[in-house]
Amino acid sequence: MVDPLRFLEEQKIDPGLIKALRAFRDRYEVESKAQNRLASPMIPFYGKDILEMAIAGLLEGENLLLSGPKATGKNILAENLAYAFGRPVYNVSFHVNTNSADLIGTDTFIDNEVRLRQGSISLCARYGGFGILDEINMAKNDAVSVLHATLDFRRSIDVPGYDKIDLHPAARFIGTMNYGYAGTKELNEALVSRFLVIDMPPQTQETLYFIFEKLFPGLKEKALEQFIGVFLDLQMKSANGEISTKALDLRGLLAAVKIVQTGLAPAKAVRMGIVNKTFDIFEKEIVEDTVNTRIPEEWTREDVYEPDQQ
Ligand SMILES: Nc1ncnc2c1ncn2[C@@H]1O[C@H](COP(=O)(O)OP(=O)(O)OP(=O)(O)O)[C@@H](O)[C@H]1O
Ligand SMILES: [Mg+2]
C-alpha cells in the first residue's frame, strides 16, 4: 500500500508536522460504518506553504476556510487533508436554500416514533470526519449560524428537542468560498472568526506543470508548454482587466486535454473547454486569439500525445 503521507514527504513538508500527523492517524481509528467515506484524492495537492499552514491549523484543532478564485484547488486541498489525516469525508454543498435542518438533521418517523434523521454535519461529528462546507458563502448567514457552537471551542451541535451532540475529537471542518461568483454573499464576522483563513494562490508555471504531468503523463513536452501557456496568458489578461474570469477555466482546459485522447482536434476541444465559456463576443475574440496563437487549428492528437507504448 502506498504511504498516504508520501506526497507530503516528496514536497519536503516539515518533518515535525509529518510526525504529528502520523501520531494523529494512530490515535484515532475510523469506525467501520464510516470506512466507505475514506477516499484517496484523484491528484495530490501541490503547494508546500499552503499544506504546512493547513496541517498545522488542523493538528491544533482549528477549522479552515479556503478562499480564492475558481480552480485554485480548494476542494482538492480539502480532500488531500482528509486523506492525510486519515479521516472520512462529509461533503455539504451550500446554496441559497440551505437551512439548518439540512445541516444538522430533521425529524422523521421511524417505527412509529419521531426520531432524528441525522444530517451530514451530525454524522461528521459522530464519526470524527472532515466536514467540507463547500461554497459556504452561498448560504444565508442565519442558516449557517446553527454551526456557531460546532465551529468554536464548544465543539457541539445543539439539535432542538434532542440532546446536544459533542464532536468526536478528530472532527474538523473545512469551508471553501469563491469570492467573485454570482450569488455569493459576504460571510459575517462571527462565522469567519471561527476559522483560520487560507488565501489560495493563483496558478503558476510550476503548479500547472505539476498538475498536467500528474494527470496526463503521456503529453508531449511541446504541447504541454502550449497548454500551460494558454492558461497563463489568459490569467494575465484577466488580471489586467482585458477579459473576465469566465474563460480562465482550468477545469475546462483539463477536460479539453483529456478529450483529445479520443482523437478530437485539440483546437476544437479547447473551444469547448475554454473559448465557449464566455458569451460576450468581444471577450470571446480576445480569448480566441490567445488560444489560436498557441494551439494551431491543424494539430491532431499525435501533436499532443506520445504514441501509446504497448
Ligand atoms: N495546487 C494544486 N494541486 C493539485 N491540483 C490542483 C491544484 N490547483 C488546482 N488543481 C487542479 O484544478 C482542478 C480544480 O480544483 P478544485 O475543484 O479543487 O478547485 P476549486 O478551487 O474548488 O474551484 P471552484 O471554486 O471552481 O469550486 C483539480 O481537479 C486539480 O486537478
Ligand atoms: Mg470547489
Side-chain angles (χ1 to χ4, degrees):
M1 210 186 79
V2 283
D3 175 3
L5 303 188
R6 205 173 76 193
F7 79 103
L8 300 173
E9 281 166 352
E10 280 169 1
Q11 294 183 57
K12 307 214 164 26
I13 298 294
D14 176 46
L17 288 176
I18 295 182
K19 194 165 160 227
L21 260 175
R22 291 202 195 279
F24 184 101
R25 296 172 60 94
D26 290 343
R27 187 161 353 124
Y28 302 112
E29 285 191 356
V30 178
E31 277 184 50
S32 56
K33 276 199 174 148
Q35 292 273 353
N36 62 346
R37 287 183 175 271
L38 292 171
S40 67
M42 80 166 188
I43 179 172
F45 180 84
Y46 184 73
K48 178 174 191 270
D49 291 351
I50 299 288
L51 283 167
E52 288 186 340
M53 290 192 279
I55 293 168
L58 292 168
L59 281 171
E60 286 302 315
E62 299 293 332
N63 301 305
L64 303 178
L65 179 60
L66 310 179
S67 97
K70 70 176 182 212
T72 41
K74 298 183 289 296
N75 287 79
I76 279 290
L77 173 60
E79 286 166 27
N80 272 271
L81 291 167
Y83 177 69
F85 279 79
R87 304 313 302 168
V89 172
Y90 295 83
N91 223 310
V92 191
S93 283
F94 286 66
H95 50 80
V96 272
N97 296 321
T98 301
N99 58 37
S100 53
D102 297 329
L103 302 175
I104 58 180
T106 43
D107 281 341
T108 34
F109 269 107
I110 301 172
D111 300 334
N112 280 331
E113 266 184 70
V114 181
R115 288 215 219 135
L116 177 69
R117 192 172 57 93
Q118 300 202 339
S120 307
I121 302 284
S122 316
L123 291 169
C124 181
R126 171 151 171 215
Y127 295 114
F130 269 38
I132 301 178
L133 313 175
D134 202 22
E135 315 277 355
I136 190 170
N137 59 330
M138 294 298 276
K140 296 193 190 77
N141 274 308
D142 51 338
V144 187
S145 66
V146 298
L147 298 181
H148 281 185
T150 315
L151 296 169
D152 65 25
F153 67 94
R154 287 170 281 178
R155 293 184 59 82
S156 66
I157 304 176
D158 224 338
V159 192
Y162 294 89
D163 277 346
K164 143 173 120 38
I165 309 173
D166 288 323
L167 296 195
H168 182 291
R172 301 286 188 275
F173 293 94
I174 303 179
T176 78
M177 66 181 276
N178 185 316
Y179 221 70
Y181 276 155
T184 57
K185 299 184 173 50
E186 281 284 329
L187 286 188
N188 72 19
E189 274 182 53
L191 186 62
V192 177
S193 83
R194 287 169 165 78
F195 290 100
L196 293 180
V197 182
I198 294 185
D199 201 4
M200 301 293 286
Q203 302 296 345
T204 61
Q205 180 121 357
E206 190 189 341
T207 56
L208 292 169
Y209 256 99
F210 175 87
I211 295 166
F212 276 83
E213 280 181 333
K214 274 277 175 214
L215 294 178
F216 308 108
L219 270 191
K220 285 191 168 163
E221 182 67 24
K222 191 181 75 181
L224 176 67
E225 265 170 33
Q226 297 307 327
F227 284 120
I228 289 175
V230 164
F231 190 83
L232 292 174
D233 290 351
L234 293 173
Q235 186 163 266
M236 171 94 78
K237 288 193 167 18
S238 160
N240 293 340
E242 285 174 64
I243 56 168
S244 71
T245 55
K246 293 200 184 86
L248 187 63
D249 190 343
L250 179 57
R251 212 175 279 117
L253 183 60
L254 294 172
V257 175
K258 182 157 148 240
I259 62 171
V260 170
Q261 285 167 346
T262 68
L264 188 75
K268 287 189 182 135
V270 174
R271 198 169 311 144
M272 291 195 285
I274 295 280
V275 180
N276 292 347
K277 296 283 167 88
T278 168
F279 298 96
D280 176 293
I281 50 169
F282 299 106
E283 181 170 280
K284 199 168 189 160
E285 215 168 286
I286 301 177
V287 175
E288 234 162 10
D289 285 348
T290 313
V291 168
N292 290 346
T293 53
R294 292 202 174 259
I295 316 284
E297 280 295 326
E298 61 278 8
W299 266 16
T300 65
R301 176 176 55 185
E302 284 60 46
D303 293 294
V304 171
Y305 286 102
E306 300 286 359
D308 281 342
Q309 286 116 11
Q310 277 166 3

